[in-house]
C-alpha cells in the first residue's frame, strides 16, 4: 500500500492534482510510520514536502522538510555507525587471527629449538663418550708401556 500511494501521489503531483496528491502523500506517510521503516518514512516526508509546496502550504512544507532532513541524517548516521562497527569487528577478528598465526609460528620455532638442543646434547654426549673411551684406552696403553 505504501508504494501504491507513493507512486499515485507523485503521479497526481505531475498531473496537477495537488490536493489529491497531498492526501495520498499523507496516507503514504501513515503507512511508512506504521511499518516502522525509516527509509520509507524519509521518502514519504519528501513527497509530503513537495506536495505541500505545490499546494502553497508552507507551514506543512517546512514541517515535512524538517522531518525529512532529521530522519535522513539519523538514518545515515545509524548506517555509518553500523558500518564502522562492522569494520572495527572485522579489524579485531583479523588482528586476533594474525596474533594466533604468529603464536603458532613462535611455537613451531620453540619446538625446532628444543629438538636442536636435544640433538646437540645427544651429539656432545656421544662425543664425550668416545673421547672418554679413547682417553681410557690411552691410559691403559700407557700403563702397559710403563709396566713393561
Amino acid at each position: 500500500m505504501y508504494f501504491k500511494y507513493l507512486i499515485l501521489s507523485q503521479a497526481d503531483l505531475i498531473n496537477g492534482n495537488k490536493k489529491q496528491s497531498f492526501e495520498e502523500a499523507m496516507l503514504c506517510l501513515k503507512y511508512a510510520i506504521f511499518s516502522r521503516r525509516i527509509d520509507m518514512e524519509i521518502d514519504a516526508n519528501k513527497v509530503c514536502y513537495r506536495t505541500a509546496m505545490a499546494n502553497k502550504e508552507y507551514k506543512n512544507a517546512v514541517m515535512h522538510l524538517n522531518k525529512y532532513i532529521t530522519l535522513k541524517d539519523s538514518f545515515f548516521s545509524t548506517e555509518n555507525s553500523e558500518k564502522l562497527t562492522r569494520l572495527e569487528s572485522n579489524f579485531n577478528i583479523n588482528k586476533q587471527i594474525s596474533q594466533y598465526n604468529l603464536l603458532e609460528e613462535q611455537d613451531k620455532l620453540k619446538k625446532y629449538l628444543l629438538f636442536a638442543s636435544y640433538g646437540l646434547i645427544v651429539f656432545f654426549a656421544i662425543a664425550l663418550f668416545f673421547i672418554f673411551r679413547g682417553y681410557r684406552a690411552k691410559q691403559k696403553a700407557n700403563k702397559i708401556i710403563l709396566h713393561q
Side-chain angles (χ1 to χ4, degrees):
M1 293 299 286
Y2 163 80
F3 292 109
K4 174 185 170 185
Y5 286 117
L6 183 69
I7 292 169
L8 285 175
S9 174
Q10 291 175 347
D12 284 338
L13 186 60
I14 292 170
N15 292 331
N17 299 333
K18 297 175 185 175
K19 291 289 182 189
Q20 188 174 354
S21 175
F22 185 72
E23 291 172 7
E24 290 164 346
M26 291 305 293
L27 285 172
C28 177
L29 181 62
K30 286 179 184 177
Y31 280 111
I33 292 170
F34 180 74
S35 66
R36 296 184 182 196
R37 296 256 327 258
I38 294 176
D39 56 336
M40 294 170 116
E41 198 172 337
I42 290 170
D43 291 337
N45 274 302
K46 188 175 183 180
V47 171
C48 287
Y49 162 71
R50 287 181 180 165
T51 56
M53 285 298 289
N55 286 325
K56 297 182 180 177
E57 296 176 10
Y58 299 114
K59 192 174 186 178
N60 281 336
V62 170
M63 181 185 70
H64 289 293
L65 181 63
N66 284 335
K67 283 183 184 178
Y68 166 73
I69 292 170
T70 304
L71 288 172
K72 188 175 179 184
D73 288 345
S74 67
F75 179 73
F76 287 119
S77 67
T78 302
E79 191 175 85
N80 287 338
S81 66
E82 287 174 0
K83 285 180 184 178
L84 183 63
T85 303
R86 272 187 257 123
L87 286 172
E88 285 176 347
S89 64
N90 287 340
F91 174 76
N92 289 335
I93 289 170
N94 290 336
K95 186 178 176 183
Q96 288 176 350
I97 289 171
S98 64
Q99 286 176 343
Y100 176 76
N101 291 337
L102 183 64
L103 288 173
E104 277 187 340
E105 286 183 31
Q106 287 176 347
D107 285 345
K108 284 181 183 178
L109 286 174
K110 285 180 183 178
K111 285 180 184 179
Y112 290 143
L113 285 173
L114 186 66
F115 286 129
S117 300
Y118 287 149
L120 284 173
I121 290 171
V122 169
F123 173 75
F124 284 122
I126 292 171
L128 282 173
F129 171 75
F130 285 113
I131 290 171
F132 186 68
R133 193 172 103 182
Y135 176 73
R136 288 189 77 201
K138 189 177 178 182
Q139 277 185 341
K140 280 185 184 181
N142 285 340
K143 272 187 184 181
I144 293 173
I145 292 173
L146 283 176
H147 285 313
Q148 286 178 0

